[in-house]
């Protein structure tokens, strides 16, 4: 029980700290906003069509604040209270009007112009600055809206027959679609079948092309590359052998031109052949030799 109570206290303290931090941030932000903005009262002597809470306050087209309340002061007077930036150069002669974001947009308070040397905005009885809208500006806005609506009405009236024909064509087209709904369904089924076949074909092409794990086309390209590399190596070897053979033939032809006998008979052409021995002259004839001692005399034939 004691441990559980400690956990409850710790959780409550944590939540309190978070809530206090969150509240401090909101308070600081509101204080900063309050210091950065100040109220201003805008009086419209006539209708203020489209103006509502949350509408923008623009100075020369730039947003400087927003409307926080709109109320009727009397049947012909509308009073709007807005919060605007303190740095906005609003003067007593600043023109006030209404502007719209398109035909159906929310109206925004428009502030324009004013001289830098002009006095500040006069204060109301409660100390809030107050500006009165220019009735002519409001009338200009109303007239612009009316003119725009009249132009739209004129365009529709001038093209009434074309609009009718377009509507008839649209009706005819939708009727044709309704009558041929079954055929259209059949066509869509066929289109679905064609798309399914296209998906299968793309899957097959993906498989052949390799996909994420490689495929037949990848293996084929790899084999072709290996064959080309092998053929390139063999061609280089054949070219080298041919060059060596041509070199040998060229050297043999050059040797044959220089010394044909060496090529035919072999040996070195620089060796000197041995000179033949000189022939010995025959001994001179001296007649018959005398018989040796003890030898029998030779008989005449």
């Amino acid at each position: 029980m004691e441990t559980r109570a400690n956990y409850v206290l710790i959780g409550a303290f944590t939540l309190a700290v978070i809530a206090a931090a969150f509240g401090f941030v909101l308070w600081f932000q509101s204080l900063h906003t309050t210091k950065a903005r100040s109220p201003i009262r805008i009086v419209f002597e006539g209708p203020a069509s489209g103006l509502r809470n949350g509408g923008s306050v623009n100075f020369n087209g730039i947003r400087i604040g927003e409307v926080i309340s709109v109320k009727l002061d009397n049947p012909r007077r509308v009073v709007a209270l807005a919060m605007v930036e303190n740095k906005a150069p609003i003067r007593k002669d600043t023109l006030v009007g209404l502007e719209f974001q398109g035909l159906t947009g929310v109206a925004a308070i428009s502030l324009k112009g004013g001289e830098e040397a002009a006095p500040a905005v006069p204060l109301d009885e409660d100390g809030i600055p107050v500006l009165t809208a220019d009735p002519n500006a409001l009338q200009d806005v109303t007239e612009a809206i009316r003119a725009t609506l009249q132009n739209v009405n004129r365009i529709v009236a001038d093209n009434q027959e074309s609009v009718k024909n377009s509507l008839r064509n649209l009706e005819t087209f939708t009727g044709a679609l309704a009558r041929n709904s079954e055929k259209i369904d059949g066509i869509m089924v066929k289109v679905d079948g064609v798309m399914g076949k296209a998906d299968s074909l793309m899957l097959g092409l993906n498989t052949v092309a390799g996909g994420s794990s490689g495929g037949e086309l990848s293996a084929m390209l790899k084999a072709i590359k290996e064959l080309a590399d092998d053929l390139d190596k063999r061609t280089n070897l054949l070219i080298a052998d041919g060059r060596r053979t041509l070199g040998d033939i060229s050297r043999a032809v050059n040797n044959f031109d220089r010394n044909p006998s060496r090529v035919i008979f072999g040996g070195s052409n620089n060796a000197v052949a041995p000179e033949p021995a000189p022939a010995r002259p025959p001994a001179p004839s001296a007649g018959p030799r005398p018989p040796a001692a003890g030898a029998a005399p030779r008989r005449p034939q």
Side-chain angles (χ1 to χ4, degrees):
M1 293 293 294
E2 229 175 285
T3 305
R4 185 176 300 175
N6 291 334
Y7 288 156
V8 172
L9 289 176
I10 292 173
F13 178 75
T14 304
L15 292 176
V17 171
I18 295 174
F22 188 70
F24 176 77
V25 171
L26 292 178
W27 173 78
F28 183 78
Q29 185 176 4
S30 63
L31 181 63
H32 178 72
T33 305
T34 303
K35 290 182 178 180
R37 292 186 176 187
S38 58
I40 186 172
R41 184 175 287 120
I42 308 296
V43 178
F44 296 92
E45 298 291 346
S49 302
L51 187 62
R52 64 186 65 174
N53 294 345
S56 299
V57 179
N58 300 330
F59 189 91
N60 290 340
I62 300 175
R63 181 185 173 96
I64 61 170
E66 63 181 10
V67 178
I68 60 175
S69 70
V70 179
K71 65 179 181 178
L72 287 171
D73 193 15
N74 59 54
R76 299 181 58 86
R77 188 178 182 186
V78 178
V79 179
L81 183 63
M83 297 294 295
V84 297
E85 296 178 2
N86 295 332
K87 296 181 180 180
I90 303 174
R91 298 290 184 267
K92 182 180 180 179
D93 58 348
T94 299
L95 297 178
V96 182
L98 290 177
E99 60 184 9
F100 295 86
Q101 303 294 328
L103 293 177
T104 59
V106 178
I109 296 176
S110 173
L111 304 177
K112 295 180 181 179
E115 297 293 335
E116 291 185 4
V121 180
L123 302 180
D124 206 350
E125 296 176 357
D126 54 359
I128 297 177
V130 60
L131 284 175
T132 302
D134 185 5
N136 295 327
L138 296 178
Q139 187 175 1
D140 293 341
V141 171
T142 305
E143 291 297 329
I145 295 174
R146 289 178 180 175
T148 303
L149 292 176
Q150 289 177 358
N151 291 332
V152 171
N153 189 22
R154 187 180 302 109
I155 291 172
V156 173
D158 294 340
N159 297 276
Q160 185 175 2
E161 193 64 29
S162 299
V163 172
K164 288 182 179 179
N165 292 332
S166 300
L167 292 176
R168 290 195 192 99
N169 294 333
L170 180 61
E171 184 178 0
T172 303
F173 178 72
T174 54
L177 288 178
R179 289 191 301 270
N180 297 279
S181 59
E182 295 181 357
K183 294 181 181 180
I184 294 175
D185 292 339
I187 293 174
M188 294 305 297
V189 170
K190 292 181 180 179
V191 170
D192 291 339
V194 172
M195 293 302 295
K197 292 181 180 179
D199 292 339
S200 301
L201 178 61
M202 293 305 296
L203 290 175
L205 291 176
N206 189 24
T207 302
V208 172
S212 59
S213 59
E216 298 176 1
L217 183 59
S218 179
M220 186 184 301
L221 293 176
K222 185 177 180 180
I224 293 174
K225 185 177 182 302
E226 292 177 354
L227 179 61
D229 293 340
D230 185 64
L231 182 61
D232 187 33
K233 293 178 182 178
R234 293 180 181 274
T235 303
N236 291 333
L237 293 176
L238 182 61
I239 291 173
D241 293 340
R243 286 178 180 174
R244 286 196 296 271
T245 302
L246 290 177
D248 294 341
I249 294 174
S250 178
R251 286 193 296 272
V253 171
N254 292 333
N255 292 334
F256 184 80
D257 290 340
R258 288 196 300 268
N259 192 359
S261 61
R262 181 182 179 187
V263 176
I264 297 174
F265 300 104
S268 175
N269 58 348
N270 294 327
V272 180
E275 296 181 358
R280 299 177 65 181
S285 176
R289 292 181 180 180
R298 297 181 63 186
R299 294 181 178 179
Q301 298 282 333

